[in-house]
């Protein structure tokens, strides 16, 4: 009994020194009975349920470098198996843990993921958040964008959002009435859009060199916070006839995250009559479809 307690104490000390488990293997009670070694057994009274996964950890030991543990309901044996039992599984071609001779197993049990470029990651993130892909605008940062505080001056972001907004307006006009309408909208002819107001939320400074991805998505508004844009409270609001809100965001390729957000109000404006107006059912339907992109991304 004294020898068993001493063995248990040694094993507990070894387990305490072991690094965090890295890989999990499904092991059954019959596997343990078949592969356990008599000299590694110890008696332990424990009440619990059988575990479905068993963690393997390296130990600082000459005799045992890998072990797993199972606790069976009721007073049972707690059995430890050496690395040889698991090596047999690795060598078995029919085993899901098979590792061919001369090869190395994966660093992680998770399937490998493809590395996205900063541009691909930014576009994927914006699409996930419901931004309009037709609004995506790349903005290279130049040294002259810096101010004396050695980061891109805050006023420059207004210009970045403006460039992205005009790019998106062309796409909107193209869908409403083709190339002629797209050209008229950015030249202030007939019914187009005019900026009423804009607010910016600076999240992180940007420095040269970098390239930014600017994105927009329309919504009925108004917003209290940017996270509210796709909430039912906003998406279920009826679209106003003469104006709408547009949320903007800027993604930094260097930082691989959103660095600035904005919200603006755009007004349908008749440049021939110099007054706000109702653009008509067709234009509102085109706008509504783009407003629904956020809902489609959230509820595929």
């Amino acid at each position: 009994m004294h020898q068993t307690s001493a063995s248990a104490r040694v094993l507990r000390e070894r387990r305490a020194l072991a690094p965090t488990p890295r890989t999990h293997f499904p092991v059954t009670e019959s596997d343990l009975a078949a592969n356990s070694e008599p000299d590694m057994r110890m008696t332990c009274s424990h009440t619990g349920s059988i575990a479905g996964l068993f963690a393997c950890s390296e130990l600082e030991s000459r005799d045992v470098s890998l072990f797993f543990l199972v606790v069976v309901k009721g007073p049972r044996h707690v059995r430890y198996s050496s690395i040889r039992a698991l090596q047999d599984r690795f060598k078995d071609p029919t085993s899901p843990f098979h590792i061919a001779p001369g090869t190395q197993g994966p660093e992680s049990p998770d399937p490998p993921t493809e590395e996205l470029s900063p541009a691909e990651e930014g576009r994927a993130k914006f699409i996930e958040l419901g931004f309009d892909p037709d609004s995506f605008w790349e903005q290279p940062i130049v040294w002259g964008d810096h101010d004396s505080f050695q980061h891109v001056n805050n006023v420059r972001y207004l210009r970045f959002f403006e460039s992205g907004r005009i790019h998106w307006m062309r796409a909107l006009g193209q869908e409403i009435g083709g190339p002629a309408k797209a050209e008229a909208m950015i030249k202030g002819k007939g019914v187009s859009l005019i900026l009423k107001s804009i607010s910016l939320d600076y999240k992180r400074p940007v420095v040269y060199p970098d390239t930014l991805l600017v994105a927009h998505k329309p919504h009925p508004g108004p917003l209290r916070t940017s996270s509210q844009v796709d909430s039912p409270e906003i998406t279920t609001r009826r679209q106003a006839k003469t104006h709408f809100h547009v949320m903007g965001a800027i993604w930094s390729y260097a930082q691989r995250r959103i660095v600035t957000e904005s919200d603006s109000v755009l007004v349908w404006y008749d440049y021939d009559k110099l007054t706000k107006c109702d653009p008509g059912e067709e234009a509102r339907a085109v706008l509504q479809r783009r407003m629904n992109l956020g809902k489609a991304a959230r509820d595929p």
Side-chain angles (χ1 to χ4, degrees), residues 107-225:
E107 295 182 359
S108 168
D110 299 322
T113 56
E114 294 184 6
E115 183 70 21
L116 297 177
S117 69
E120 291 171 332
E121 184 180 3
R123 289 173 181 270
K125 183 63 176 179
F126 279 152
I127 290 174
E128 177 189 338
L129 294 174
F131 284 88
D132 190 344
D134 287 338
S135 73
F136 293 173
W137 172 264
E138 281 192 336
Q139 180 69 53
I141 295 300
V142 299
W143 180 256
D145 291 326
H146 278 193
D147 58 21
S148 59
F149 294 103
Q150 300 304 306
H151 61 71
V152 173
N153 186 270
N154 289 355
V155 176
R156 300 297 295 165
Y157 294 88
L158 287 169
R159 186 69 71 190
F160 300 158
F161 279 119
E162 178 188 60
S163 297
R165 187 172 62 251
I166 296 300
H167 175 68
W168 178 74
M169 281 175 54
R170 288 177 64 94
L172 195 67
Q174 177 77 26
E175 186 174 356
I176 294 173
K181 180 61 177 176
E183 195 69 16
M185 284 190 68
I186 65 169
K187 289 185 176 180
K189 295 181 179 179
V191 175
S192 184
L193 292 167
I194 191 169
L195 179 67
K196 178 182 179 181
S197 63
I198 185 170
S199 61
L200 272 65
D201 180 7
Y202 301 100
K203 297 184 174 298
R204 291 178 69 88
V206 172
V207 298
Y208 174 88
D210 201 351
T211 298
L212 307 179
L213 183 65
V214 185
H216 285 89
K217 60 177 173 180
H219 64 91
L223 300 178
R224 290 191 297 272
T225 63

Side-chain angles (χ1 to χ4, degrees), residues 11 14 37-42 64 78-82:
L11 286 170
R14 288 177 174 175
E37 300 177 14
D39 60 335
M40 293 297 294
R41 295 184 184 181
M42 59 172 282
V64 181
V78 177
R79 300 186 177 95
Y80 295 88
S81 177
S82 72

